[in-house]
Amino acid sequence: MKQKLLLIAAVTLSLSLSLRAQTSPSTVNGQVKDAAGNPIATATIMLQRAKDSGLVKTAISNATGNYQLVSIKPGRYFVSATGTGLQKNSSAAFEVKENETFTVPALVLQTATKNLQGVTVTSQKPIVEVKADKMIVNVEGTINAVGNDALELLRKSPGVMIDKDDNLSLAGKNGVQVYIDGKPSPLSGADLAAYLKSLQSSQIEAIELITNPSAKYEAAGNAGIINIKLKKNKNLGTNGNVNAGYNIGTYAKYNAGIALNNRNAKTNIFGNYNFSTGINESNFSLYRVQPDSIFDQKSRILQRNKDAHNFKAGVDFFINKKSTFGAVVNGNISKSDIYTSGPMYIIYSPSNTIDRTLIATGDNLTTRSNVNFNLNYRYAVTGGSELNIDADYGFYNLRTHQFQPNDYYAGTSNVKIANNTYRTISPTDIGIFALKADYEQNFKKGRLGYGGKIGYVNTDNDFARWNVINNADVYDNDASNRFRYKENINAAYLNYNRAYKGVMVQAGLRLENTNSDGHTTGLKNIAALGNPAVYADLDTTVKRSYTDLFPSAAITFNKNPMSIFGVTFSRRIDRPAYQDLNPFEFKINDYTYMKGNTQLRPQYTNSIGFTHTYKYRLNTSLNYSHVKDIFAQIPDTLGSKSFLTKKNLATQDIVSINISYPFQKKWYSFFANIGGNYSMYKANFGGGNRNINLNVAAMNFFMQNTFNLGKGYKAELSGFYNSPTVFQGTIKAQALYSIDGGVQKTLWKGKGNIKASCSDMFKLLRFKGSIDFAGQHSDVLAHWESRQFKLNFSYRFGNSQVKAARQRKEAIEDENKRSQQSNGGMGVGGN
């Protein structure tokens, strides 16, 4: 009987939908105001069926409080509206007839409570938010992020891949520009990876993966921008939180932090401090085959992170309702000792016998410190003009002291036949200065933005090496040098966006003038082999000056909010890092070294993208990029030695697709993201086995499951899979995958919580790949303490109340700012 009733209901529903599909759609509009009659922007509008309160459509009110719901079928409905710090209000039920425009009487929203001066607002952001221009990973609210550093969080973020050398790529493209709190980091390569490893998840609010930046952003970043947003408390009064964590893999690791904030009507003073320490173990294997020799290297790397300190402090002065002045200082100080041990077997391949064994036991002590200062001023009129001025100064100091003995033994015996021991001391100092201004105003029924930036980066790297002979240090002129690099970038941009009926249009143009000057000094032995050393000054200069235009544009078709299409275009650049230009040879061991390339040119990317959002949930993007002079890390040979250097490939063409979908029903929710890309690499470095002609298809998958179990308990299960792919045109990597799980319990009315999780539960995560180039074949294997049990406790204290009126005002201003920087909500702008 039940099956028959269900069948009748299904047929009735089908007929009803068929009949209703033949009618003409209508429009519902209206306005939302507060108790004083002022319009409310960014209120959430919901159109619901009168008979069962079922949700039909949603919308967001604009700056004048107006909203519009289009393509509404005839029927009986009511409208509900709500906003941050406001009580929900609903209209009376009304009838919508065929092909009419129905205006709902203005809805007035009261503050959430009349008796209290403040209200406590608690909300739970989705773990991943998808917008037209970017994907936001809300680290703060996820259980499985506990105990991770920033690099590990990126490794598990949708579309992000990290190779064996910790280089980042996004959607199959290298050349990712990393920002910290909206400001580009001057670090790259190993220095950037070390800094990201020092940032704990407890410091991070969210990670923004921005694939289509507007002209307001700097043009650097072929693949786009990864912006790491650090936490900042905005509650009124005095409040704060403390946290402590413990991780255990092979070795124990500890972290702790405290954040304090005091906010009133005139000032906001904030600060935080985080500390971490522990030991990390990793293992690395390299099997390299050359015509007559095989080099079989097995290394155990023990990194003792003696201590890492991160701090941030600042103050905002609310001069009046329109003007805010602020000052911020943040920094990072860390010290680590990296101990490397393990043999390299040197095999004579014709007889397949071990000729020698190299034991290279290295000890590398590194200290890093950076401090950044920022002064900022903001003048904003709600719904009108806005001026932002930022002045930044920062310095990064790196000190490395490496002791590297190389002991050779006959065959596999204990008979030492040779020794080569050296010591290197390499200080690096980086200074940055930047001044930028951004101004936005209403213009010709749209939004006009323009601004400029002047930036300077000065780098001084001194590499000094001593050979240890009979326990005495002898300075090695051939293996020492000093490299100074200065870069000045001057930029100006213009951006305009305007909304038409059913269409939003944005166009921008950025001009960047680059001036760089690299200077290598030292001594070089110019004597013939076997003759006494004759040294001459080594003086290599890399000087360039060039000016480029970077256009960007976007069109969004949003006539039907349930099905929104977009088209985007942008041109971007990646400039060589100073380490990649220094022509000096940096030895890893007696058979492997790295060197820069003074001829390395910038790489340029032209991208066009298509996006579609269906029913606010299903997001699809398709992108094509053509990269000219793409950077590639090339493994080459010189005799029996192998060296790594970066060169420009001719081109890379890449097509990528990304699909994401969030789902929630009662106590269960999930987010799924799947991406794929197809790349074509082409380069000619001399013909034969020195050519590169690769066609590569790859995909990645990410899924997060959340279970609200009740009584303060929540559980998460997440995982990712990256298919086999190619990094930088030469490194063929096998698949990467991992599964994490965790549980959380909230305590003391939400003020405290304890989280327990296990990363890489089944110990699946490792890097495995191969390289074939210039007559040599290499197999690479790397794995680390990916499986860890992590425990974290955090506690909030102080005032958790936010003035409803102030919170609503700030929410409106923040949303307006985001919309303006996103080019009128089209999702092609910045944050």
Side-chain angles (χ1 to χ4, degrees):
M1 183 66 178
K2 182 182 292 186
Q3 292 178 341
K4 290 182 179 180
L5 289 173
L6 289 173
L7 179 61
I8 292 170
V11 172
T12 304
L13 178 61
S14 177
L15 288 172
S16 173
L17 291 173
S18 177
L19 289 172
R20 292 177 66 185
Q22 299 175 22
T23 61
S24 300
S26 301
T27 300
V28 174
N29 57 36
Q31 188 182 33
V32 186
K33 300 179 180 180
D34 62 17
N38 299 314
I40 299 175
T42 70
T44 301
I45 311 299
M46 294 169 287
L47 180 69
Q48 298 172 262
R49 289 189 295 268
K51 63 178 181 179
D52 58 4
S53 299
L55 181 63
V56 178
K57 279 194 176 183
T58 61
I60 300 294
S61 61
N62 61 21
T64 61
N66 292 306
Y67 61 88
Q68 186 179 59
L69 300 153
V70 299
S71 299
I72 307 302
K73 297 175 182 178
R76 191 165 178 79
Y77 305 95
F78 68 93
V79 169
S80 297
T82 187
T84 306
L86 300 169
Q87 291 182 349
K88 183 178 179 180
N89 192 13
S90 301
S91 72
F94 53 85
E95 188 78 26
V96 175
K97 298 180 180 178
E98 182 180 348
N99 196 27
E100 79 162 347
T101 298
F102 185 88
T103 300
V104 179
L107 288 172
V108 177
L109 303 186
Q110 305 286 343
T111 54
T113 176
K114 296 179 181 179
N115 298 323
L116 293 177
Q117 293 182 346
V119 295
T120 300
V121 179
T122 58
S123 62
Q124 181 67 44
K125 292 182 180 179
I127 292 171
V128 180
E129 297 178 80
V130 178
K131 300 188 177 182
D133 69 322
K134 62 188 171 185
M135 184 178 295
I136 304 172
V137 182
N138 290 307
V139 175
E140 195 173 17
T142 178
I143 301 169
N144 290 335
V146 166
N148 281 312
D149 58 49
L151 193 68
E152 280 301 306
L153 290 175
L154 289 175
R155 190 189 303 276
K156 299 172 184 179
S157 297
V160 178
M161 289 181 284
I162 301 176
D163 69 10
K164 65 180 180 64
D165 298 314
D166 293 334
N167 295 307
L168 298 170
S169 63
L170 182 61
K173 293 183 286 186
N174 65 355
V176 179
Q177 178 65 56
V178 173
Y179 281 51
I180 307 296
D181 275 341
K183 304 183 189 307
S185 170
L187 301 178
S188 61
D191 295 333
L192 175 62
Y195 172 71
L196 294 176
K197 288 177 182 178
S198 72
L199 286 179
Q200 295 297 305
S201 61
S202 57
Q203 299 171 249
I204 300 171
E205 177 183 333
I207 295 173
E208 297 179 334
L209 310 175
I210 307 171
T211 52
N212 285 297
S214 72
K216 187 172 183 178
Y217 282 104
E218 295 185 22
N222 152 48
I225 292 169
I226 295 177
N227 182 33
I228 299 175
K229 296 179 64 178
L230 304 181
K231 292 180 180 178
K232 180 180 177 180
N233 199 323
K234 293 184 178 181
N235 287 351
L236 285 173
T238 300
N239 52 82
N241 66 76
V242 293
N243 67 84
Y246 168 78
N247 299 2
I248 182 70
T250 306
Y251 298 93
K253 303 153 188 67
Y254 307 89
N255 62 84
I258 183 171
L260 295 170
N261 180 78
N262 179 273
R263 184 184 182 114
N264 56 43
K266 293 295 183 181
T267 61
N268 179 37
I269 302 172
F270 55 92
N272 61 61
Y273 167 77
N274 288 269
F275 169 81
S276 63
T277 187
I279 300 175
N280 291 282
E281 182 186 36
S282 60
N283 293 273
F284 177 82
S285 299
L286 176 64
Y287 189 85
R288 178 163 58 90
V289 180
Q290 292 182 206
D292 63 350
S293 301
I294 298 173
F295 300 87
D296 186 5
Q297 177 184 349
K298 302 181 187 302
S299 300
R300 175 177 179 259
I301 304 169
L302 205 62
Q303 180 169 338
R304 301 180 182 90
N305 297 311
K306 296 183 178 180
D307 43 49
H309 309 269
N310 290 272
F311 58 89
K312 181 177 183 179
V315 59
D316 295 320
F317 298 98
F318 307 114
I319 301 170
N320 52 47
K321 292 182 179 180
K322 299 177 182 179
S323 299
T324 303
F325 174 78
V328 182
V329 57
N330 64 75
N332 167 273
I333 300 171
S334 64
K335 181 184 292 186
S336 65
D337 190 359
I338 302 175
Y339 181 79
T340 305
S341 61
M344 173 190 280
Y345 300 107
I346 303 170
I347 303 168
Y348 181 60
S349 53
S351 60
N352 198 31
T353 57
I354 298 176
D355 180 65
R356 287 161 292 163
T357 300
L358 168 61
I359 304 296
T361 304
D363 191 8
N364 192 340
L365 179 63
T366 302
T367 58
R368 305 172 187 271
S369 61
N370 91 271
V371 180
N372 302 292
F373 303 90
N374 168 262
L375 296 176
N376 59 83
Y377 173 75
R378 180 176 183 238
Y379 176 87
V381 178
T382 303
S385 59
E386 180 177 330
L387 172 67
N388 287 278
I389 300 175
D390 281 270
D392 292 277
Y393 171 74
F395 60 84
Y396 292 76
N397 297 327
L398 295 85
R399 300 291 182 267
T400 62
H401 185 173
Q402 181 184 14
F403 180 72
Q404 182 65 63
N406 295 276
D407 296 322
Y408 292 87
Y409 297 86
T412 57
S413 71
N414 293 324
V415 179
K416 185 186 292 188
I417 57 176
N419 169 267
N420 177 24
T421 301
Y422 57 86
R423 184 191 313 278
T424 61
I425 297 177
S426 179
T428 299
D429 297 316
I430 303 175
I432 61 171
F433 169 77
L435 178 65
K436 76 182 186 79
D438 302 289
Y439 184 76
E440 294 182 351
Q441 66 180 66
N442 297 322
F443 180 75
K444 298 288 186 181
K445 298 183 179 180
R447 192 77 176 166
L448 177 67
Y450 46 90
K453 179 177 180 180
I454 300 173
Y456 291 89
V457 179
N458 295 326
T459 303
D460 188 352
N461 176 229
D462 191 0
F463 188 89
R465 171 171 155 167
W466 287 264
N467 294 317
V468 182
I469 303 173
N470 298 324
N471 294 323
D473 291 351
V474 179
Y475 188 75
D476 190 338
N477 286 298
D478 284 341
S480 303
N481 90 323
R482 186 175 184 180
F483 185 64
R484 299 185 182 105
Y485 183 73
K486 297 180 180 180
E487 186 176 74
N488 159 233
I489 301 175
N490 307 298
Y493 75 90
L494 184 69
N495 200 73
Y496 181 73
N497 62 79
R498 179 175 173 178
Y500 297 89
K501 188 175 182 180
V503 180
M504 301 186 78
V505 179
Q506 175 266 330
L509 183 65
R510 186 178 184 91
L511 181 145
E512 290 193 352
N513 166 251
T514 305
N515 305 283
S516 62
D517 188 356
H519 197 57
T520 302
T521 57
L523 295 174
K524 184 175 180 64
N525 184 6
I526 60 174
L529 186 65
N531 293 333
V534 177
Y535 289 100
D537 288 334
L538 172 66
D539 192 335
T540 303
T541 300
V542 184
K543 194 169 185 178
R544 291 175 182 161
S545 181
Y546 49 94
T547 301
D548 294 296
L549 291 174
F550 300 96
S552 64
I555 303 175
T556 302
F557 303 92
N558 57 3
K559 185 175 182 179
N560 178 6
M562 305 300 281
S563 182
I564 300 174
F565 290 89
V567 182
T568 63
F569 169 80
S570 66
R571 183 175 189 255
R572 302 190 64 74
I573 186 176
D574 278 302
R575 301 174 181 87
Y578 76 93
Q579 305 99 317
D580 299 329
L581 294 171
N582 188 354
F584 198 71
E585 298 178 0
F586 300 91
K587 294 185 72 171
I588 299 173
N589 57 43
D590 278 353
Y591 285 90
T592 310
Y593 64 91
M594 301 177 66
K595 65 180 295 186
N597 176 10
T598 59
Q599 303 302 313
L600 195 63
R601 301 180 301 275
Q603 65 179 23
Y604 293 88
T605 303
N606 291 292
S607 297
I608 184 170
F610 302 89
T611 62
H612 179 243
T613 301
Y614 180 68
K615 290 189 175 180
Y616 302 98
R617 288 180 175 270
L618 180 62
N619 294 275
T620 306
S621 63
L622 178 67
N623 186 274
Y624 166 75
S625 296
H626 174 78
V627 188
K628 180 183 177 183
D629 292 332
I630 181 176
F631 299 152
Q633 184 168 278
I634 303 296
D636 215 334
T637 57
L638 185 64
S640 62
K641 295 184 179 182
S642 173
F643 68 90
L644 296 174
T645 189
K646 279 194 176 180
K647 294 185 178 181
N648 295 104
L649 300 187
T651 60
Q652 178 195 20
D653 291 279
I654 181 168
V655 179
S656 62
I657 187 171
N658 194 82
I659 302 171
S660 63
Y661 184 77
F663 172 83
Q664 182 171 355
K665 187 171 183 179
K666 296 182 179 179
W667 51 269
Y668 171 69
S669 64
F670 81 83
F671 172 84
N673 184 91
I674 185 169
N677 63 78
Y678 179 79
S679 298
M680 294 169 282
Y681 298 89
K682 292 185 183 295
N684 185 342
F685 295 124
N689 58 20
R690 301 179 65 82
N691 277 358
I692 295 176
N693 190 355
L694 288 175
N695 297 325
V696 182
M699 62 87 66
N700 59 81
F701 177 76
F702 171 86
M703 188 171 184
Q704 177 94 34
N705 301 269
T706 303
F707 310 87
N708 288 308
L709 306 177
K711 296 184 178 180
Y713 285 96
K714 181 195 286 187
E716 283 182 8
L717 185 67
S718 61
F720 77 93
Y721 171 84
N722 294 333
S723 74
T725 187
V726 172
F727 288 100
Q728 302 192 40
T730 58
I731 306 169
K732 299 177 182 178
Q734 295 188 15
L736 288 167
Y737 38 89
S738 173
I739 298 174
D740 300 346
V743 64
Q744 169 184 292
K745 167 65 175 172
T746 57
L747 308 167
W748 306 307
K749 297 181 180 181
K751 288 190 173 182
N753 71 65
I754 185 167
K755 299 176 181 179
S757 67
C758 182
S759 62
D760 192 22
M761 294 190 296
F762 304 106
K763 208 172 184 179
L764 304 170
L765 189 58
R766 61 182 57 197
F767 183 93
K768 192 173 184 180
S770 63
I771 305 170
D772 284 288
F773 185 77
Q776 68 169 322
H777 173 86
S778 300
D779 291 318
V780 180
L781 174 64
H783 55 93
W784 53 95
E785 290 181 80
S786 56
R787 182 167 64 183
Q788 295 183 28
F789 173 73
K790 304 172 182 180
L791 192 64
N792 179 272
F793 171 78
S794 64
Y795 178 75
R796 288 189 299 112
F797 58 88
N799 184 20
S800 61
Q801 292 185 329
V802 182
K803 293 287 186 181
R806 175 180 289 276
Q807 186 196 25
R808 184 171 72 254
K809 180 178 181 292
E810 289 180 351
I812 293 170
E813 289 179 350
D814 289 345
E815 183 62 31
N816 286 339
K817 185 177 181 180
R818 283 194 296 269
S819 298
Q820 292 158 10
Q821 294 176 336
S822 297
N823 305 301
M826 291 178 292
V828 291
N831 184 34

